Amino acid sequence: MNTFPDKLLIEARDASINLEMLAVDDLDRNIDGYLQPNWRTRRMVDSWRNYVLSNGKNTEADYLNLRTAYTETEGRSNKVFSDVLATHIRNLPYDMSSTMFSAYVQKPGEKGETTVTMVNGEDGEDDTADAWTKVINGAARHLELHGWWKSKVLVPDVIVKSLKKKIEDQLVKENGDAVQAAVEGKDGAPLQLKVGSRHTQNYEEMYEISSDPFLLSVVQAYMGVPPIFNTPVAFLNSFVKAKNAKALSDTAQLYHHDMHRLGFVKLFIYLTDVELHSGPHTLVRGTHRKRPSHLWADGRHTDEAIAAAGLASDETRITGKAGTVFLVDTSCLHKGAHPDSESRLMAQVQYTNSLFGKPIAQSDHKVEASLRSKNDEIHQVAALVRKYSMRSGVRFMQNFI
Ligand SMILES: O=C(O)CCC(=O)C(=O)O
Ligand SMILES: [Fe+2]
C-alpha cells in the first residue's frame, strides 16, 4: 500500500497545529497589554500551549480554563485570543467558480435576480471578484453586528434530498417507530433524536455544503482565519409536549451559549421547511458581544430571564424553507425554540478557528487511523477527508486527518 500522500497530510496537519504556537508566544509576551490582568486568562495561555505541545490534545482542565475565562472576562478572552491567532495565520483565497450559491452574483447579461452587479471588471480580470467581495464582506459584517447571517440562496434540492434521506434512514435504524412518533408529535415520543458525527461524517453532503467556497469565505472574513470543519451532527426536534425544563435544557431548547472552542461559527442546514410554529433556531442578537453581566454565566437561561433583562425585543427567530443555510456565532445566547405544531429536521457543522478546547477523540483522525485499520467505514471517511483536504485545504480537514 502507498501511504506516502497520507503521511504528507498528517505532516501538514501537525504543521498547522504548530503554527498556533506563534499566537501562544505572542499572548504569553503581551497579554497584560491585551487584556486586564486575570489569573484565568493567564492559565488559558498555558492551556493553549499544552494543546500545541501535545500535538493537538486537550485535557478537561485546559478546556475548563477556556470556558471559565469566557465567563469571567465577559467574552473578551476569546475575542482577543482569536484576534491574535488571526494575525499569525494566513488567509486562503477560495475559488468562487465552484460555489453552489452562484445565484448571489451573476455575470453581466445573465438573467435572474441579481443581488449585486459587477463594476470595474478589467480585461483579463475575474469580473465577478468585486461582487463576491461585497457579498462576503456584507455577510461577515452582519455576523459581526448581529451574531447571525442567513443565505438568500438555498442549497440545491438534490443535495438537500439526499442528505435528508441518509439522516432519516439512520434515525430509523437507531430508533425504529420512535422516529415517526416524533415527527407526528405523538404522546410519549422523544423530544429530540440525534444522528451523531460517527454517522454524519460519512455523508458527503455535509462536506460538500460546508466546504463551499462562499461559506468558507464568509466565515474566514468573520473569524480572520481559514475555518476548520468540526462536529457534524443532525437533530430531529419533535413538537411533542416537553415534560419539564430539564428535558428542554438537555435538548438545547433553553437559552445558552456554546463554548467548546476559542472562536466558532455554526452552519445550520434546514432539511424541513421551518416556520414560526416548527421550532426555529432562535437567538438574542448581539449577545455574542454584549449582554448584561449576569447573563455571561455558564449554563441555561430561561425565557423569563431574557425578558427580565429587557432583551425580549432582540430575539431573532430564523425561519426558512428546506435547503436554507445560516451561520450563527453560537457564543451568543441561543436555543432551538420548542416546536408548537410541526417537527423540525436540521443538520449542522461547527466551523472553528482552532481545535483548542473540548477534548477531541483521537479516533476522529480518520486518515491516521486508516493507516492501521482494515475497517471499511474508516477507509470511506478517510477518502472523503482526502478529497476535501484537496478541495479546501489541510487546515479545513485538520480534525479528521
Ligand atoms: O436546535 C437549535 O436550533 C439550536 C441547537 C444548539 O443550541 C446548537 O446547535 O448549539
Ligand atoms: Fe447551542
Side-chain angles (χ1 to χ4, degrees):
M1 193 171 56
N2 176 16
T3 61
F4 182 55
D6 279 352
K7 284 189 178 151
L8 279 184
L9 273 182
I10 292 164
E11 234 176 74
R13 176 204 64 196
D14 294 352
S16 173
I17 295 169
N18 249 314
L19 220 46
E20 296 185 26
M21 196 56 107
L22 295 169
V24 173
D25 286 338
D26 182 330
L27 282 159
D28 208 5
R29 280 194 306 275
N30 304 313
I31 190 157
D32 290 341
Y34 295 158
L35 277 164
Q36 289 205 345
N38 171 291
W39 183 86
R40 188 68 73 171
T41 47
R42 229 333 133 188
R43 296 287 79 73
M44 191 171 150
V45 178
D46 299 337
S47 293
W48 197 1
R49 187 183 294 284
N50 289 343
Y51 163 81
V52 179
L53 287 177
S54 65
N55 194 31
K57 291 189 193 67
N58 296 300
T59 65
E60 288 293 340
D62 290 337
Y63 169 41
L64 192 67
N65 276 334
L66 164 88
R67 260 199 110 100
T68 311
Y70 181 77
T71 293
E72 281 186 16
T73 64
E74 305 197 338
R76 281 185 287 272
S77 51
N78 287 52
K79 176 94 177 77
V80 166
F81 280 48
S82 295
D83 287 348
V84 170
L85 181 66
T87 65
H88 294 287
I89 300 215
R90 254 196 304 186
N91 280 10
L92 285 179
Y94 295 107
D95 176 9
M96 223 52 73
S97 65
S98 63
T99 179
M100 63 177 77
F101 302 98
S102 59
Y104 260 108
V105 169
Q106 264 143 355
K107 295 201 190 307
E110 275 186 348
K111 289 217 181 70
E113 208 185 313
T114 306
T115 313
V116 177
T117 43
M118 255 67 48
V119 282
N120 295 339
E122 283 182 24
D123 280 354
E125 223 177 58
D126 175 3
D127 59 0
T128 62
D130 284 352
W132 277 115
T133 304
K134 250 183 159 162
V135 183
I136 290 161
N137 289 345
R141 176 106 184 106
H142 199 278
L143 262 169
E144 181 60 41
L145 286 175
H146 307 292
W148 66 279
W149 170 82
K150 178 170 92 171
S151 174
K152 284 184 207 143
V153 180
L154 304 188
V155 170
D157 212 33
V158 275
I159 301 178
V160 174
K161 287 216 168 83
S162 64
L163 177 58
K164 186 174 183 211
K165 178 155 182 2
K166 287 179 187 175
I167 291 168
E168 284 173 343
D169 287 353
Q170 184 60 34
L171 281 173
V172 170
K173 205 166 149 189
E174 285 179 43
N175 307 283
D177 294 343
V179 179
Q180 197 51 33
V183 170
E184 291 169 9
K186 288 225 172 83
D187 269 355
L191 206 56
Q192 185 181 68
L193 292 171
K194 177 177 173 179
V195 180
S197 64
R198 206 180 135 334
H199 301 286
T200 50
Q201 71 192 3
N202 293 302
Y203 305 165
E204 177 149 16
E205 296 83 352
M206 297 294 270
Y207 301 89
E208 197 176 353
I209 299 168
S210 62
S211 74
D212 187 276
F214 174 51
L215 295 178
L216 290 179
S217 298
V218 172
V219 179
Q220 171 168 263
Y222 177 65
M223 294 199 307
V225 295
I228 301 170
F229 175 98
N230 183 220
T231 333
V233 282
F235 297 100
L236 172 66
N237 280 10
S238 173
F239 68 93
V240 67
K241 222 169 130 41
K243 287 203 187 72
N244 48 44
K246 169 142 193 341
L248 288 175
S249 171
D250 290 347
T251 53
Q253 297 182 82
L254 283 184
Y255 275 115
H256 64 280
H257 60 244
D258 296 348
M259 194 40 61
H260 287 174
R261 309 273 166 234
L262 214 47
F264 48 90
V265 174
K266 272 188 180 163
L267 167 67
F268 294 93
I269 307 154
Y270 281 157
L271 299 171
T272 49
D273 293 348
V274 177
E275 316 267 355
L276 288 175
H277 61 265
S278 4
H281 182 80
T282 299
L283 57 97
V284 187
R285 70 169 163 270
T287 50
H288 60 317
R289 294 288 178 254
K290 258 178 75 174
R291 67 183 91 149
S293 273
H294 66 284
L295 292 179
W296 288 100
D298 215 341
R300 305 297 189 194
H301 305 279
T302 61
D303 292 352
E304 292 71 33
I306 300 300
L311 293 174
S313 62
D314 291 340
E315 265 194 348
T316 303
R317 297 174 178 79
I318 302 182
T319 56
K321 296 269 174 230
T324 296
V325 289
F326 55 98
L327 299 168
V328 181
D329 179 338
T330 51
S331 69
C332 73
L333 293 171
H334 69 280
K335 64 176 182 175
H338 182 60
D340 291 326
S341 56
E342 189 177 43
S343 300
R344 180 195 78 176
L345 188 65
M346 179 176 85
Q348 64 179 67
V349 169
Q350 176 163 270
Y351 293 114
T352 183
N353 62 356
S354 165
L355 293 168
F356 166 50
K358 192 178 160 73
I360 293 165
Q362 285 308 295
S363 58
D364 271 10
H365 294 302
K366 299 301 172 192
V367 172
E368 196 168 273
S370 76
L371 291 176
R372 288 181 299 274
S373 171
K374 291 206 163 59
N375 179 311
D376 277 350
E377 221 175 272
I378 291 182
H379 282 275
Q380 278 163 27
V381 185
L384 285 173
V385 172
R386 287 183 204 108
K387 175 174 172 181
Y388 285 90
S389 302
M390 284 294 288
R391 176 174 169 171
S392 307
V394 164
R395 183 176 161 79
F396 179 62
M397 281 283 102
Q398 175 170 316
N399 194 172
F400 285 73
I401 294 171

